Amino acid sequence: MGLASGVARASQAVGHSPVSRVKIKPMNKDYFFCGVGGSGMLPLAMIVQAQGNRIAGSDRALDQGRTPDKFDWLRAHGVALHPQDGSGVTGADQIVVATGAVEETVPDIGAARRVGAAIKTRPQLLSELFNAAPTSIGVAGTSGKSTITGMIAWILDRAGRRPTVVNGAVMKNFADADHPFASALVGGPDLFVAEVDESDGSIARYDATVAVVSNISLDHKSMEELRDLFGGFVGRATTAVLNLDNPETAALAQELALALPTGKAITFALGEEEADLSAHDLKPLPTGMSFELRVRGEAPRPVVLNVPGAHNVANALAALGAVKALGVSVDAAVAALESFAGIRRRLEVVGTRNGVTVIDDFAHNPDKIAATLKTLHAFDGRLLVLFQPHGFGPLKLMQREFIEGFAGLMRENDVLLMPEPVYYGGTTDRSVGSEDIAAGVRAEGRQAEALATRADCGDRIVEIAKPDDRVVVMGARDDSLSSFAAELLARL
């Protein structure tokens, strides 16, 4: 199976609040979200609530006392919270929503089985809502999904299209005091935009009008599996938006050109004249990027982004391609992009103290880490990189890629510090840990240390930091990283 088989099989089948001023069709059902505070669950819960349903949930982080502000906010917005001990699941009329994998050892799932409650995974529920919309944009790829989704949401919002959006991260343009966790946007029922995931295979559930693929690279699955999944995703869509700078997505564009009707794909690239949308003369700015946008058949336009890095220029091209497929004018889209404020924890500057700047960043796989390091090295200054791996599995799968990425992009005076991966229990292969990565980086001539805990890494950073250094706190699936970054800034 691969690109060709995925495409061929699929071709045969072929101004509002961040949460709830606009209601969709009322449903009046009882939903229980297991892990309701998670970055993927919270926005989905808010959209389901906005449809007129009652929401309850549990979360291991709530039981452990982590991120209390988030759970206070959920309570204040009508979400009934319970311990993750099964006590909140009491009747057969409830719909229990689990993460991508239904773990029978989770007490809420056991309780659902006992009382006869329906169980759905998050991908099942999200794809049902997504596929029910007459028009939909699905954003996929190994990296860049949340930013592209946020850019599309902002452009469509500014264009008056009232999209409903599910993102995996907080969109700063929609965040305010009442909605600090604005990873969901509730608009009308006719246009749905969502970040879709290939890591669990759930991308196969989504039938998008517009399928955006930013890039395809090794992350959680083998390349052969990824080619098949992405090939099917774009094959089922009316229009595919594809990145010619990535070899895998460029191959996918070529496959589409051979297998499917002309005009199926909108392509984008940095400096590639053959692409439908291309960016040229990229220049880093202190808070963003400037470039010349060329759209096939149109005059070039200057663009200024308020988010940094060449990768964000590529993300902007992807977003422009997606909205172009829905008939939004390029000029209107560019005007919106220039006021795009970014995504929380994407190269987010926490602050500067005594000449040391602390940056909070979601980078957690080799591609994202490379984009962050390249962006930061556009300007002078030593980097002190705290990288907290989000699991033992990814370290084992991508051990060589992590080592090569850090060693190849760090400068001689940069320092990498790694605690052990995030681990909240369960069965997993723990044979490759942080010291394996650090040792590999040191063997390539760069400075790297593996310490027992994140607190130890923080102490080490405070010890060695000096004016003009930039501290980058990297990692995913742990909301407390942002609090850690803020505390680190205070200690400097």
Side-chain angles (χ1 to χ4, degrees):
M1 306 294 281
L3 282 175
S5 61
V7 171
R9 191 172 63 254
S11 66
Q12 295 167 2
V14 173
H16 44 278
S17 160
V19 178
S20 62
R21 285 188 200 130
V22 181
K23 299 277 187 181
I24 306 179
K25 182 181 177 181
M27 304 291 285
N28 198 34
K29 296 180 180 178
D30 287 298
Y31 282 82
F32 186 95
F33 284 78
C34 183
V36 69
S39 61
M41 289 292 226
L42 189 151
L44 183 57
M46 293 298 96
I47 284 177
V48 171
Q49 184 189 59
Q51 292 179 323
N53 299 294
R54 292 173 293 276
I55 304 299
S58 66
D59 200 292
R60 186 161 46 191
L62 172 67
D63 297 346
Q64 295 171 350
R66 293 183 280 122
T67 60
D69 291 349
K70 177 182 290 186
F71 296 109
D72 289 344
W73 182 87
L74 283 168
R75 288 189 192 94
H77 285 77
V79 178
L81 296 177
H82 301 269
Q84 199 169 88
D85 59 5
S87 60
V89 182
T90 57
D93 57 344
Q94 288 175 289
I95 300 168
V96 176
V97 184
T99 55
V102 177
E103 299 180 14
E104 299 297 332
T105 57
V106 175
D108 294 331
I109 299 300
R113 301 282 191 213
R114 286 193 300 275
V115 301
I119 300 174
K120 287 187 178 183
T121 65
R122 178 189 179 273
Q124 279 179 305
L125 178 57
L126 177 55
S127 61
E128 287 172 8
L129 298 174
F130 181 91
N131 293 338
T135 304
S136 58
I137 301 177
V139 182
T142 308
S143 53
K145 294 188 289 290
S146 296
T147 298
I148 295 168
T149 302
M151 287 176 166
I152 292 169
W154 186 238
I155 293 168
L156 293 174
D157 179 81
R158 294 298 88 188
R161 300 290 287 268
R162 296 179 56 247
T164 291
V165 182
V166 173
N167 204 337
V170 173
M171 299 174 283
K172 290 184 180 180
N173 286 98
F174 301 107
D176 56 32
D178 290 333
H179 306 100
F181 308 106
S183 49
L185 184 68
V186 177
D190 297 330
L191 177 55
F192 203 112
V193 182
E195 175 181 336
V196 302
D197 193 5
E198 81 288 345
S199 66
D200 58 2
S202 62
I203 188 174
R205 294 180 173 275
Y206 295 85
D207 300 325
T209 308
V210 180
V212 181
V213 182
S214 60
N215 45 58
I216 305 171
S217 61
L218 188 66
D219 194 351
H220 295 274
K221 291 185 177 293
S222 72
M223 287 307 303
E224 193 62 24
E225 288 177 289
L226 291 173
R227 290 171 186 138
D228 192 43
L229 287 168
F230 282 108
F233 176 60
V234 302
R236 293 189 300 275
T238 303
T239 305
V241 180
L242 301 170
N243 179 10
L244 294 186
D245 289 327
N246 178 262
E248 292 290 341
T249 45
L252 185 50
Q254 185 176 25
E255 200 72 55
L256 282 176
L258 293 172
L260 296 168
T262 302
K264 169 88 176 184
I266 295 175
T267 58
F268 65 92
L270 303 181
E272 175 56 69
E273 296 285 356
E274 295 304 311
D276 296 306
L277 299 102
S278 58
H280 304 262
D281 300 324
L282 278 66
K283 294 183 175 65
L285 305 173
T287 59
M289 295 290 291
S290 68
F291 65 96
E292 180 183 81
L293 170 66
R294 299 182 192 173
V295 180
R296 189 186 299 278
E298 301 184 19
R301 297 169 175 82
V303 180
V304 176
L305 296 179
N306 283 308
V307 286
H311 64 291
N312 274 321
V313 176
N315 291 338
L317 295 177
L320 289 168
V323 299
K324 187 174 186 293
L326 297 187
V328 177
S329 77
V330 175
D331 287 334
V334 166
L337 273 180
E338 292 187 340
S339 61
F340 176 68
I343 300 293
R344 192 158 295 161
R345 294 212 67 232
R346 274 34 172 206
L347 279 171
E348 184 173 18
V349 174
V350 181
T352 300
R353 189 159 185 165
N354 292 325
V356 181
T357 299
V358 176
I359 298 164
D360 190 17
D361 191 56
F362 187 71
H364 62 280
N365 65 34
D367 276 0
K368 290 184 173 73
I369 290 167
T372 292
L373 295 178
K374 288 176 183 177
T375 299
L376 293 175
H377 276 318
F379 298 92
D380 293 334
R382 180 174 72 153
L383 300 182
L384 305 180
V385 180
L386 184 148
F387 171 50
Q388 176 178 284
H390 64 288
F392 285 93
L395 279 191
K396 183 174 182 181
L397 177 67
M398 297 177 283
Q399 180 177 357
R400 179 176 58 83
E401 288 81 4
F402 277 123
I403 291 170
E404 291 177 353
F406 280 116
L409 291 169
M410 288 171 60
R411 293 177 178 168
E412 287 186 8
N413 62 343
D414 293 342
V415 182
L416 170 65
L417 299 112
M418 292 178 61
E420 282 302 299
V422 175
Y423 179 66
Y424 296 126
T427 58
T428 188
D429 182 349
R430 302 172 69 180
S431 59
V432 175
S434 292
E435 174 56 28
D436 296 287
I437 308 301
V441 173
R442 289 196 301 271
E444 297 294 327
R446 292 295 181 261
Q447 300 180 59
E449 304 175 22
L451 303 173
T453 67
R454 188 172 71 189
D456 292 335
C457 292
D459 292 342
R460 181 70 172 138
I461 288 171
V462 172
E463 178 186 344
I464 64 176
K466 57 188 179 182
D468 297 326
D469 283 349
R470 287 163 297 165
V471 176
V472 192
V473 177
M474 287 182 179
R477 298 184 183 174
D478 183 355
D479 291 339
S480 67
L481 280 166
S482 294
S483 300
F484 174 79
E487 292 163 4
L488 196 57
L489 178 68
R491 293 180 63 193
L492 292 167

